[in-house]
Amino acid sequence: MARSALLNVMVQAASKAGRSLARDFGEVQNLQVSLKGPGDYVSQADRKAEEIIYNELSRARQGYSFLMEERGVVEGDDPQHRWIVDPLDGTTNFLHGIPLFAISIALERQGQLVAGVIYNPAMDELYTAERGGGAFLNDRRLRVAARGRLVDCVIGTGIPHLGRGHHGNALIELRNVMGEVSGIRRMGAAALDLAYVAAGRLDGFWEAGLSPWDTAAGMLLIREAGGFVSDDEGGQAMFDKGTIVAGNEAIHRALLKQLRKPLAGK
Ligand code: IPD
Ligand code: CA
Ligand code: CA
């Protein structure tokens, strides 16, 4: 498949970091049985992957700014362009030897998402999208699922854990959605969840408490696959609010409706 020069740069950075993560994932599986566990090892793997991505991207596109999960904001000379990077999304899965984790890289130009790459090295699944150019899984063009009724749908979400707020709200939202759908999934890597919506594997997704590096690339993938993405009130303040709701037009609308309901008494 012919890719633009920009996507090539992003794919190269993701592949190189992916090789590093895949090697470390193998080691994590060995460390699993030790009493101390692979915790420190995983933080190192995460930082190493970020370093690789940072070096690759800054060499290929000099002066672009960065927003990265580990390094935070790096201001470049070019304020028009910003990379948004999560070097390892799904850290808890990675730590537990579950092969659902990914690298997420997006590029914003003048505040608009123009390119996104999500790569799961354990499954060698590469998701790419460029504004106006469609979304792809490896070489296959993606479309969001066509199901029109929640009752037929499998919906992904995220559930807050120890140290994260909003437990009460999350329970209310879950209660309001679970009685309407054919299945709920909590897979543990928001970037991959969004990629799965773009690929039609999940019919929809919602989560609160997310950061731009979790969602940026996935949002573009979904839009380019014909889907809809908003915050939990139907607006476009996903980065500011940290909430996201996604699906095809009908499922996105139906999810928003369920999420806004006061606790349904079922
Ligand atoms: C996390 C994952 C998880 C989501 C959390 C994120 P991390 O990212 O995407 O699915 O529920 O809110 O923080 O910490 O693994 O990069
Ligand atoms: Ca993340
Ligand atoms: Ca991360």
Side-chain angles (χ1 to χ4, degrees), residues 41-61:
Y41 192 84
V42 170
S43 330
Q44 274 178 42
D46 195 350
R47 279 197 297 272
K48 217 189 320 172
E50 193 174 278
E51 180 83 20
I52 292 170
I53 296 166
Y54 179 77
N55 289 340
E56 288 288 313
L57 295 180
S58 35
R59 202 177 48 216
R61 293 290 184 274

Side-chain angles (χ1 to χ4, degrees), residues 68-188:
M68 308 188 94
E69 180 168 17
E70 307 303 328
R71 270 170 210 237
V73 174
V74 181
E75 297 285 2
D77 310 330
D78 177 352
Q80 311 280 359
H81 290 97
R82 177 168 81 145
W83 300 112
I84 304 177
V85 177
D86 191 340
L88 172 55
D89 184 54
T91 322
T92 310
N93 284 344
F94 188 91
L95 178 71
H96 285 257
I98 300 170
L100 286 172
F101 57 88
I103 290 156
S104 176
I105 304 176
L107 179 67
E108 258 183 5
R109 183 174 296 133
Q110 296 173 323
Q112 193 169 53
L113 290 167
V114 292
V117 167
I118 294 176
Y119 181 47
N120 175 352
M123 295 181 179
D124 198 23
E125 288 195 334
L126 176 71
Y127 298 85
T128 53
E130 198 161 2
R131 194 174 139 80
F136 294 83
L137 164 50
N138 298 331
D139 286 345
R140 182 164 64 86
R141 179 95 192 233
L142 298 179
R143 288 293 302 170
V144 291
R147 295 184 190 86
R149 301 178 319 153
L150 276 183
V151 68
D152 301 315
C153 287
V154 173
I155 304 293
T157 188
I159 298 175
H161 46 79
L162 183 69
R164 289 280 179 103
H166 311 300
H167 289 201
N169 270 349
L171 283 173
I172 291 174
E173 290 177 356
L174 191 59
R175 176 82 194 264
N176 282 342
V177 176
M178 70 186 183
E180 307 289 326
V181 298
S182 82
I184 300 257
R185 297 289 180 273
R186 196 298 185 236
M187 292 193 291

